[in-house]
Amino acid sequence: VGENPIGGLCIGAAVALVVAACMFLPRKLTTLVGFTEGASEGVRSMVGAIMILVLAWSLGGACRYMLGTGEFVSNFLTTMGFELSFLPAVIFVVACVLAFASGTSWGTFGILIPIVTAIFPASSELLIIGISACCAGAVMGDHCSPISDTSIMASAGAQCDHLEHVATQIPYVLTVAGVCVVGFIVAGFVQNVYITWAVSFALMLCVLFVIRSMERRKAA
């Protein structure tokens, strides 16, 4: 399953359907016809997400196996003498932009994680840090993307204007993202989770204190 995400998703969906049927049908909370119609409606609602995943997997596979993007980036950075310790922060920013533009965190995972795994050696601590940066950046971009399904559902559930909902999320997201960039720079150099946590936590407190002081000045 780990090497075949498509198979993993299919198995997960099949198990979920079986478990749901065992929970609802014997208790007569729904009929077999109603359960089938609900499953069909769920499949139809997931067509867009499935297409995004398929295209993302296709693009990620093309970048990894056909174009050799990871090897190219790795060789380019080595030739240019680029410090690999800065790369987690760069990956985080790229993942943020890509997820915001595409509106999907999973699609960003599929595109960037194969490249990250090709850049860093398997024995390097930077591999875990790079994957973490990719996941964090993808979730950050997806959270405030106006075309993200989660953002659309959140604004619809709150019954507020969608663009206003997105606009209210961006200041919070950018604040945390700025701290994360510094945190991933620190993580790339020290490669110690406790030091990275301490620096990020202290920086976040400082940022919140500065924002609070600025708001008080505006109020005065």
Side-chain angles (χ1 to χ4, degrees):
V1 174
E3 295 294 331
N4 185 7
I6 300 177
L9 288 177
C10 292
I11 293 173
V15 172
L17 285 175
V18 172
V19 172
C22 294
M23 292 178 62
F24 289 98
L25 293 179
R27 299 161 61 189
K28 298 182 179 180
L29 297 177
T30 184
T31 63
L32 181 60
V33 175
F35 181 82
T36 305
E37 291 178 352
S40 301
E41 183 178 352
V43 171
R44 288 194 297 270
S45 65
M46 290 298 295
V47 169
I50 292 173
M51 291 302 299
I52 292 174
L53 281 176
V54 170
L55 293 174
W57 287 331
S58 301
L59 182 58
C63 291
R64 183 176 185 179
Y65 299 110
M66 298 177 63
L67 300 179
T69 304
E71 291 78 3
F72 170 77
V73 174
S74 179
N75 294 333
F76 175 78
L77 294 175
T78 302
T79 303
M80 297 299 294
F82 190 86
E83 178 58 58
L84 289 179
S85 298
F86 282 109
L87 201 54
V90 176
I91 294 171
F92 175 79
V93 174
V94 172
C96 290
V97 175
L98 183 58
F100 182 85
S102 62
T104 171
S105 58
W106 286 95
T108 305
F109 297 158
I111 294 172
L112 292 184
I113 288 181
I115 297 176
V116 173
T117 56
I119 292 175
F120 298 113
S123 59
S124 175
E125 294 289 338
L126 289 174
L127 176 61
I128 302 298
I129 299 173
I131 294 177
S132 300
C134 176
C135 294
V139 172
M140 173 265 172
D142 175 73
H143 178 74
C144 62
S145 174
I147 60 175
S148 171
D149 54 349
T150 52
S151 299
I152 295 172
M153 288 187 293
S155 60
Q159 296 184 357
C160 67
D161 183 76
H162 178 58
L163 293 181
E164 290 183 0
H165 167 72
V166 173
T168 58
Q169 299 302 303
I170 290 179
Y172 299 99
V173 170
L174 292 180
T175 301
V176 178
V179 176
C180 288
V181 170
V182 178
F184 281 115
I185 292 176
V186 174
F189 281 95
V190 302
Q191 299 180 21
N192 185 292
V193 63
Y194 299 107
I195 296 177
T196 304
W197 283 352
V199 172
S200 301
F201 183 74
L203 181 59
M204 178 59 73
L205 289 180
C206 293
V207 171
L208 294 177
F209 179 78
V210 171
I211 294 176
R212 182 181 180 184
S213 300
M214 294 174 60
E215 292 298 324
R216 285 184 173 179
R217 290 180 182 179
K218 290 181 180 180

